[in-house]
Amino acid sequence: MQKLILQIIIRQWDKSQLSEQHKQAREDLPDQYPLSSATVALSDGRIMLDQHGDDISGNRINYQLIDENSFLIDRLRIDLKTKTVEFKSRLQADEPPILLTTINEGWIQCQYQWRYRVEEGGFIYWLYENVVINVGFFNEIDTNVFIDNPPQQRFESLVANQ
C-alpha cells in the first residue's frame, strides 16, 4: 500500500520584515527539502508528515484523520483511497472545497499566503505567512523523494491575503 507523504514548509514574518531585502531572503529559501529525521508517522504509518520552517506561535499546523480515508491538513483535504486533493480557500463551514487534482504519479506542490492577527504581551500585530505543502503517494520512503524529481503540478497563490 502506498503511503501519503506530506512536507509542509512555513515561512512567517511580521510587519518589520516587509522590505524588499526581507522579501528576497524569503523567496531565496527552498520550497522542497529532504525528509528530516523528525518526520512523524500517523495513522499506522500510512501518512508521513515532515515539517520545516517557522512556527512562531507553536503548533501552527492542524491535521486530523476524518475517517479511514479522508485526511485534513491546514487547508487541504486528501482522500487516501482516490488520491484526490481538495483545497479550501476560506475556513468557513459553508465554503465547499475545490478539487485541485488526483495524484496518479509523482507529487504536487501547493502554495498560499495568509495572515493572522496576534495578541501578545498587550500588543496586537499581523503575522504573515507563506505555506508550501508538498504531497505525494509513494511505495517506499526515500529521504530525497521531493528533491530528486520536480512536482507533476504546482498550485501557486491559492490564497493571497495581504
Side-chain angles (χ1 to χ4, degrees):
M1 179 179 197
Q2 290 188 319
K3 293 178 189 275
L4 170 63
I5 301 179
L6 296 144
Q7 182 176 76
I8 188 154
I9 303 159
I10 304 172
R11 299 176 191 126
Q12 295 178 326
W13 64 95
D14 62 29
K15 191 174 182 174
S16 70
Q17 300 164 318
L18 293 177
S19 71
E20 282 303 316
Q21 180 183 7
H22 287 104
K23 182 179 175 184
Q24 188 61 50
R26 284 190 297 275
E27 288 176 0
D28 290 344
L29 294 171
D31 58 4
Q32 58 213 54
Y33 291 89
L35 296 179
S36 72
S37 59
T39 299
V40 177
L42 306 168
S43 185
D44 297 325
R46 295 187 312 156
I47 303 168
M48 306 299 291
L49 179 59
D50 184 46
Q51 186 170 335
H52 297 266
D54 305 318
D55 190 358
I56 293 169
S57 59
N59 298 320
R60 161 58 187 89
I61 297 302
N62 296 313
Y63 56 86
Q64 65 179 339
L65 194 62
I66 299 293
D67 56 36
E68 189 174 310
N69 292 312
S70 191
F71 184 72
L72 292 177
I73 182 164
D74 205 37
R75 295 174 175 274
L76 296 182
R77 181 169 63 188
I78 303 159
D79 189 299
L80 301 173
K81 188 173 183 179
T82 62
K83 301 179 184 177
T84 55
V85 178
E86 297 174 321
F87 180 79
K88 214 166 176 177
S89 61
R90 289 183 29 226
L91 298 176
Q92 306 295 328
D94 64 341
E95 180 81 19
I98 301 163
L99 176 64
L100 293 179
T101 191
T102 300
I103 303 175
N104 293 317
E105 60 182 65
W107 60 281
I108 67 165
Q109 184 175 80
C110 301
Q111 188 171 153
Y112 51 92
Q113 292 190 47
W114 198 247
R115 68 179 181 184
Y116 300 93
R117 182 177 182 258
V118 177
E119 295 182 39
E120 187 176 284
F123 295 98
I124 298 171
Y125 66 94
W126 286 108
L127 180 63
Y128 300 89
E129 70 178 10
N130 174 269
V131 177
V132 177
I133 304 179
N134 298 323
V135 182
F137 288 89
F138 302 96
N139 291 321
E140 297 178 21
I141 299 174
D142 176 3
T143 57
N144 290 323
V145 71
F146 296 118
I147 301 295
D148 289 343
N149 297 301
Q152 295 295 316
Q153 291 180 290
R154 277 195 167 100
F155 300 93
E156 298 174 341
S157 302
L158 288 169
V159 174
N161 182 0
Q162 293 292 342

